[in-house]
């Protein structure tokens, strides 16, 4: 069976954090940290860029606002114009709550969708789930996994590297 | 600094070297030095353990109570809206009172998860999940009233911008239509926010079920019980697994998740303020004395937060006692919630007085009459209930002794909700009952169907909340761990001082 990744555990949050910095500095590309809670400053320690989720939020928001404006104009001023209280058929003022709420609604859907897209979820299977050690991440284990598809990956060297940066319980996870 | 110490007397400088800045003592958010595993076991344990007897008892009572709403609605639908006490001049009675009441309850949940998140208030972590659940269930209860007050409830979809057979579209000039958009958006976004926050914890429940299945050890159980427990874990593996969407606790996942959470908090904050503002427009956009006031939006929002926090306290104090969550929901949490009740309660009290002042200062005889009539007219008893529960009760929260007395806090939190229900009653009914012309005045009393339907919503709310407590992780595990000292990557060890570079 081919190797999917090599995983190593770390004893506490600071050593986990500094180990991540070392993996980043060693030039590995296909690797990740695993912890049951978000570690403050970890994206920088892993050398990851800012999340792209807000792009999806923005797209959702713009769609919502446009849709809101369109339905109010189409339904009230184009398809079935009706005089009520001498008010104009269409104005950006009176139906503003509609546009406002739809902006927020679709921006929220954009955000949730964006979180799934950027995280490549749903993905119900991953070889890491087969590892007993990995399952303990849900409790208090802090794990770094370097994947075999990383260009720098070398079974023996990577294992040694993880040991050098303080990793314990090193395990090879097969694909 | 270097130049100053050179000029200073060396003895003085040496003394200055010894001075350490005092550290402000801050009560920890998780007490008794619990570790990560304890937090996971505690929160997941509630879901994984067998169903306690009290749960079945509460569920039975809640279902029985909820059936009152069912009966009330059945009666209404089969007979007509006339079975509610709505008639001229009070065409809006308990229906809108209950609607605004329940929507208001929901606001604390969003406030805790969104506004306090943006303000980086770490104490929100252990109460936000349950508060968000409360929001969603309160919106469900709220929705019943406007939905059924239209009479022919099967045509309620006409409120949505869908093409209907008569080619008539919704009327976007009406605040009631804005309400439809505001409340349905609010409900939907609250569900999204709640669900997204739960994904990591659902992953945890899935992983724990897999762990138990792999270990195959169900200690001391008979063959039958073992099979039973195994079956449950297989169910959990798939049930939570599907909803966890393959969450792996990866750093990359957390990075996008935290950004999404922050953005959703940023979206929910203006949303929660807009929802109650728009609800207040239902009144404020009218021409009726007592309703037509610009103070309504902020006053409604403050009242909503006030009643919402009241409900959070009502729910969290018993849960804390039942599940022994004292290390997670600490005195500090209760203090903070009490102080928010005090603050918003005072805003509400200020609004009551300001309304009176403006009625007098505005020199509109109808307006002054409406307010004098509210306090001293035929509904004086409701006004007294409202004022004493909402303005005087929370003032007790100034005292630490009161905030530490959990039983008293619990009773007061219920009084707050009673008071807030009366507030909506006073606003709605007194203005409609005595408007411009004495010839069109009337007196409103609810019917038994009104009372049944409203009473039953507490049952419906409880049923939903009990299901939540039983099947969903009650606190965001990851976020609780995040605010613990062990979760700080910059070395917040017990043997070290400080903790930040």
């Amino acid at each position: 069976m081919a190797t999917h990744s090599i995983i190593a555990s770390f004893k506490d949050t600071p050593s986990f954090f500094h180990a991540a910095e070392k993996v980043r500095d060693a030039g590995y590309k296909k690797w990740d940290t695993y912890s049951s809670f978000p570690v403050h400053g970890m994206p920088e320690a892993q050398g990851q860029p800012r999340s792209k989720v807000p792009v999806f939020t923005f797209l959702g928001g713009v769609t919502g606002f446009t849709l809101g404006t369109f339905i109010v104009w189409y339904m009230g001023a184009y398809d079935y114009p009706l005089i009520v209280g001498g008010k104009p058929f269409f104005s950006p003022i009176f139906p503003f709550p509609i546009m406002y709420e739809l902006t927020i609604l679709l921006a929220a859907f954009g955000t949730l969708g964006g979180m799934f897209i950027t995280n490549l979820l749903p993905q119900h299977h991953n070889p890491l789930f087969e590892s007993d050690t990995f399952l303990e991440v849900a409790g208090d284990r802090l794990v770094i996994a370097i994947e075999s598809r990383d260009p720098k990956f070398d079974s023996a060297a990577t294992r040694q590297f993880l040991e050098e940066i303080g990793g314990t319980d090193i395990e090879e996870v097969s694909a | 600094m270097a130049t100053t110490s050179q000029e200073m007397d060396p003895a003085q400088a040496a003394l200055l070297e010894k001075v350490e800045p005092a550290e402000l003592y801050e009560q920890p958010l998780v007490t008794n030095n619990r570790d990560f595993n304890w937090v996971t076991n505690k929160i997941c344990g509630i879901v994984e353990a067998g169903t306690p007897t009290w749960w079945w008892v509460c569920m039975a009572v809640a279902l029985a109570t909820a059936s009152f709403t069912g009966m009330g609605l059945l009666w209404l639908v089969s007979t007509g809206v006339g079975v509610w006490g709505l008639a001229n001049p009070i065409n809006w009675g308990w229906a809108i009172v209950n609607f605004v009441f329940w929507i208001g309850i929901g606001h604390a949940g969003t406030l805790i998860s969104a506004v306090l998140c943006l303000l980086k208030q770490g104490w929100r972590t252990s109460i936000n999940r349950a508060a968000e659940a409360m929001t969603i269930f309160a919106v469900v209860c709220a929705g019943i009233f406007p939905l059924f007050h239209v009479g022919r409830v099967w045509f309620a979809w006409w409120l949505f911008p869908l093409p209907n057979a008569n080619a008539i579209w919704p009327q976007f000039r009406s605040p009631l239509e804005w309400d439809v958009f505001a409340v349905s958006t609010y409900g939907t976004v609250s569900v999204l926010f709640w669900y997204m926050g739960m994904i990591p914890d659902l992953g945890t429940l899935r992983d724990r079920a897999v762990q138990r299945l792999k270990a195959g050890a169900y200690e001391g159980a008979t063959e039958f019980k073992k099979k039973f427990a195994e079956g449950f874990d297989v169910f959990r593996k798939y049930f939570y697994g599907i909803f966890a969407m393959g969450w792996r606790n990866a750093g990359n996942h957390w990075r996008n998740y935290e950004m999404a959470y922050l953005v959703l908090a940023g979206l929910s904050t203006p949303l929660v303020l807009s929802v109650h503002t728009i609800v207040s427009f239902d009144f404020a956009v009218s021409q009726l004395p007592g309703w037509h006031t610009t103070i309504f939006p902020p006053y409604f929002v403050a009242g909503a937060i006030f009643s919402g926090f009241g409900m959070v306290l009502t729910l969290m104090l018993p849960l804390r006692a039942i599940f022994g969550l004292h290390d997670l929901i600490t005195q500090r949490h209760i203090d903070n919630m009490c102080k928010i009740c005090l603050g918003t309660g005072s805003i509400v009290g200020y609004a009551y007085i300001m309304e009176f002042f403006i009625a007098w200062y505005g020199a509109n005889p109808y307006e002054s009459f409406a307010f004098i009539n509210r306090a001293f007219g035929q509904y004086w008893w409701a006004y007294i209930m409202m004022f004493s529960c909402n303005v005087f009760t929370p003032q007790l929260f100034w005292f630490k002794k009161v905030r530490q007395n959990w039983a008293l806090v619990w009773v007061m939190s219920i009084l707050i909700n009673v008071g807030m229900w009366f507030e909506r009653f006073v606003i709605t009914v007194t203005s409609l009952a005595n408007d411009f012309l004495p010839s069109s005045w009337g007196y409103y009393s609810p019917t038994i169907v009104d009372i049944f339907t409203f009473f039953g919503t507490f049952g419906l709310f409880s049923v939903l909340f009990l299901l939540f407590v039983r099947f969903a992780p009650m606190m965001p595990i990851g976020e609780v761990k995040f605010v613990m000292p062990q979760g700080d990557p910059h070395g917040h060890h017990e043997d070290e001082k400080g903790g930040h570079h």
Side-chain angles (χ1 to χ4, degrees):
Chain A
M1 285 241 271
T3 308
H4 171 264
S5 53
I6 295 184
I7 64 174
S9 308
F10 295 85
K11 69 173 167 44
D12 55 18
T13 320
S15 57
F16 177 55
F17 181 83
H18 296 307
E21 288 177 326
K22 283 172 196 152
V23 181
R24 172 198 66 191
D25 295 341
Y28 284 99
K29 294 281 174 266
K30 303 280 179 201
W31 65 286
D32 218 331
T33 57
Y34 297 88
S35 57
S36 61
F37 58 96
V39 177
H40 186 73
M42 196 50 119
E44 292 78 34
Q46 283 187 252
Q48 292 168 328
R50 202 180 139 86
S51 171
K52 294 278 184 297
V53 168
V55 175
F56 296 91
T57 311
F58 179 75
L59 291 177
V62 170
T63 314
F65 187 81
T66 316
L67 183 71
T69 315
F70 175 76
I71 64 169
V72 173
W73 166 81
Y74 175 78
M75 293 173 191
Y78 181 79
D79 193 46
Y80 203 102
L82 196 67
I83 297 172
V84 175
K87 287 173 193 151
F89 292 125
F90 177 76
S91 145
I93 309 297
F94 70 76
F96 187 73
I98 311 290
M99 305 160 187
Y100 182 87
E101 299 298 336
L102 281 177
T103 307
I104 292 185
L105 181 69
L106 295 201
F109 272 107
T111 309
L112 184 72
M115 194 278 278
F116 281 126
I117 293 168
T118 51
N119 276 342
L120 303 177
L121 295 178
Q123 190 191 72
H124 284 284
H125 179 73
N126 190 290
L128 286 170
F129 288 134
E130 302 299 325
S131 154
D132 291 344
T133 320
F134 180 80
L135 288 177
E136 284 173 24
V137 169
D140 63 353
R141 203 176 264 277
L142 303 163
V143 163
I144 289 181
I146 299 179
E147 291 180 27
S148 61
R149 61 198 173 106
D150 189 291
K152 260 196 88 176
F153 185 86
D154 174 274
S155 195
T158 304
R159 181 182 276 268
Q160 199 195 343
F161 169 71
L162 284 169
E163 254 170 48
E164 277 166 15
I165 60 172
T168 52
D169 298 344
I170 295 176
E171 184 184 318
E172 227 165 274
V173 180
S174 43
Chain B
M1 276 308 279
T3 46
T4 346
S5 50
Q6 273 165 12
E7 290 158 13
M8 230 189 279
D9 173 33
Q12 225 176 1
L15 192 67
L16 205 62
E17 283 295 304
K18 281 186 191 166
V19 176
E20 280 180 20
E23 266 189 68
L24 276 180
Y25 176 69
E26 202 180 34
Q27 279 177 323
L29 290 163
V30 178
T31 50
N32 289 336
N33 280 326
R34 301 298 189 176
D35 60 12
F36 290 151
N37 256 333
W38 182 85
V39 176
T40 313
N41 287 335
K42 187 79 198 170
I43 298 169
C44 295
I46 295 171
V47 179
E48 289 161 352
T51 313
T53 318
W54 67 262
W55 190 90
W56 288 112
V57 175
C58 289
M59 194 62 172
V61 174
L63 277 171
T65 315
S67 70
F68 281 79
T69 297
M71 286 188 280
L73 295 179
L74 197 66
W75 201 336
L76 177 99
V77 171
S78 56
T79 321
V81 211
V83 297
W84 280 359
L86 308 174
N88 254 338
I90 293 116
N91 293 307
W92 259 8
W94 273 34
I96 190 91
V97 174
N98 300 339
F99 164 68
V100 183
F101 170 77
W102 274 116
I103 281 283
I105 296 273
H107 281 40
T110 322
L111 197 89
I112 290 172
S113 49
V115 180
L116 297 185
C117 171
L118 294 182
L119 297 177
K120 301 215 182 297
Q121 294 296 305
W123 63 275
R124 60 181 270 286
T125 52
S126 42
I127 49 174
N128 74 343
R129 175 75 43 76
E132 283 170 40
M134 176 191 85
T135 297
I136 293 159
F137 306 150
V139 172
V140 169
C141 292
I144 289 174
F145 296 99
L147 199 64
F148 279 85
H149 102 293
V150 298
R152 293 179 294 168
V153 66
W154 49 96
F155 289 136
W157 61 274
W158 284 4
L159 290 163
F160 288 92
L162 296 167
N164 77 33
N166 298 328
I168 297 171
W169 295 108
Q171 182 47 260
F172 295 108
R173 296 176 187 90
S174 162
L176 297 177
E177 184 59 31
W178 308 343
D179 235 13
V180 172
F181 276 78
V183 173
S184 47
T185 297
Y186 183 50
T188 315
V189 173
S190 299
V191 171
L192 294 186
F193 203 6
W194 186 56
Y195 169 61
M196 201 191 79
M198 231 169 353
I199 291 174
D201 298 347
L202 296 173
T204 301
L205 283 166
R206 170 203 61 200
D207 288 354
R208 284 166 64 94
V210 175
Q211 269 178 324
R212 280 193 301 272
L213 285 169
K214 277 188 163 183
Y218 296 91
E219 278 166 47
T222 58
E223 198 54 35
F224 175 72
K225 276 193 174 165
K226 209 172 145 180
K227 277 264 173 296
F228 207 66
E230 231 170 37
F232 260 119
D233 276 335
V234 170
F235 171 73
R236 282 195 190 106
K237 177 180 149 185
Y238 288 107
F239 178 76
Y240 294 116
I242 285 165
F243 287 105
M245 293 280 180
W247 178 268
R248 286 197 301 279
N249 287 318
N252 188 40
H253 286 183
W254 283 116
R255 174 176 68 111
N256 294 315
Y257 167 90
E258 279 203 292
M259 178 58 86
Y261 199 90
L262 190 71
V263 169
L264 276 182
L267 289 170
S268 300
T269 302
L271 177 65
V272 70
L273 300 181
S274 81
V275 169
H276 232 62
T277 299
I278 291 173
V279 168
S280 86
F281 285 168
D282 293 347
F283 298 90
V285 173
S286 74
Q287 305 269 1
L288 203 66
W291 284 8
H292 189 58
T293 56
T294 46
I295 203 176
F296 262 36
Y299 154 44
F300 267 49
V301 171
I305 294 163
F306 178 55
S307 66
F309 269 93
M311 192 58 122
V312 174
L313 281 169
T314 311
L315 294 170
M316 293 316 271
L317 288 173
L319 285 180
R320 173 179 189 255
I322 292 167
F323 294 116
L325 298 168
H326 298 73
D327 291 339
L328 293 168
I329 305 171
T330 62
Q331 183 58 42
R332 182 173 163 196
H333 291 90
I334 296 170
D335 268 2
N336 285 347
M337 286 191 272
C338 289
K339 284 173 189 167
I340 289 184
C341 283
L342 172 59
T344 48
S346 303
I347 296 175
V348 168
Y350 169 80
Y352 295 160
I353 297 162
M354 191 43 80
E355 273 188 323
F356 257 98
F357 172 75
I358 294 294
W360 167 75
Y361 189 70
N364 178 335
Y366 296 105
E367 201 72 21
S368 332
F369 170 76
F371 283 96
I372 292 167
N373 187 52
R374 264 186 198 176
F376 305 106
Q378 52 194 348
Y379 295 105
W380 61 271
W381 47 270
Y383 196 85
I384 297 221
M385 279 297 286
M386 167 188 104
F387 212 91
S388 49
C389 289
N390 291 349
V391 185
F392 298 134
T393 310
Q395 298 306 319
L396 290 176
F397 287 141
W398 284 105
F399 305 103
K400 200 173 178 183
K401 278 258 175 321
V402 174
R403 296 198 302 264
Q404 284 173 337
N405 186 337
W406 304 327
L408 188 59
V409 170
W410 193 69
V411 172
M412 283 165 68
S413 73
I414 292 172
L415 284 181
I416 287 171
N417 276 309
V418 172
M420 282 309 291
W421 186 86
F422 272 97
E423 179 195 298
R424 278 73 180 237
F425 178 81
V426 166
I427 292 171
T428 309
V429 175
T430 57
S431 278
L432 282 171
N434 305 97
D435 61 356
F436 302 96
L437 290 174
S439 60
S440 63
W441 287 3
Y443 190 82
Y444 171 83
S445 309
T447 62
I448 190 81
V449 187
D450 271 312
I451 298 168
F452 267 30
T453 313
F454 178 53
F455 176 65
T457 50
F458 288 97
L460 175 64
F461 181 83
S462 310
V463 168
L464 294 171
F465 202 80
L466 283 166
L467 288 173
F468 160 71
V469 166
R470 192 69 205 88
F471 294 107
M474 209 163 57
M475 290 175 189
I477 304 170
E479 288 185 50
V480 171
K481 289 178 181 174
F482 180 74
V483 298
M484 289 164 70
Q486 302 96 301
D488 185 354
H490 306 305
H492 203 104
H493 296 301
E494 277 155 47
D495 50 349
E496 283 174 32
K497 279 250 165 186
H500 297 280
H501 321 291

